[in-house]
Amino acid sequence: MAHSEIVSGVLLEDVALSLEELARACDVEPDWVVRHVRAGLLGGEVSVQVESWRFFSGDLQRARRLLSIERDFEANEELAALVVDLADEVRRLKARLHALGAH
């Protein structure tokens, strides 16, 4: 895949990316995205027709985090998803503790 530039930034919630745009934003082949969606590791608005898939800000962030774990630690897809899920849960729990006034 020839990349003219890598997209960086945060999507607004109401803006959707196509499969190709998400792949370009993550600097991966579209097959990487398809494989992760079909394995249940990455979400978005997906249907039977891959061409109509749409991804949002949270999907982009998760895809980039999955990719980072996979590349940095040479982790397989499932392990990367577990690490991302656990990190998200720790963040949620810390936020709840903070909201309850615990430090």
Side-chain angles (χ1 to χ4, degrees), residues 33-98:
V33 177
V34 170
R35 199 171 57 249
H36 285 71
V37 168
R38 290 197 172 139
L41 308 175
L42 185 60
E45 285 184 6
V46 296
S47 62
V48 175
Q49 294 191 1
V50 174
E51 300 81 25
S52 65
W53 288 4
R54 294 294 171 257
F55 301 91
F56 299 92
S57 180
D59 305 316
L60 173 59
Q61 291 172 356
R62 181 172 175 85
R64 286 180 171 170
R65 291 171 64 206
L66 287 168
L67 183 62
S68 176
I69 300 289
E70 289 174 18
R71 286 183 177 168
D72 294 349
F73 299 101
E74 298 179 10
N76 66 32
E77 298 165 355
E78 292 82 13
L79 180 58
L82 177 62
V83 169
V84 169
D85 289 345
L86 289 173
D88 288 345
E89 184 63 20
V90 167
R91 257 190 297 285
R92 279 190 294 273
L93 291 171
K94 284 183 177 181
R96 286 184 67 192
L97 284 173
H98 183 71

Side-chain angles (χ1 to χ4, degrees), residues 1 7 11 16-30 32-34 37 42-44 53-64:
M1 172 186 266
V7 178
L11 282 177
L17 293 175
S18 68
L19 169 65
E20 292 287 333
E21 291 166 333
L22 180 68
R24 192 172 36 252
C26 293
D27 195 26
V28 295
E29 294 292 328
W32 183 93
V33 177
V34 170
V37 168
L42 185 60
W53 288 4
R54 294 294 171 257
F55 301 91
F56 299 92
S57 180
D59 305 316
L60 173 59
Q61 291 172 356
R62 181 172 175 85
R64 286 180 171 170

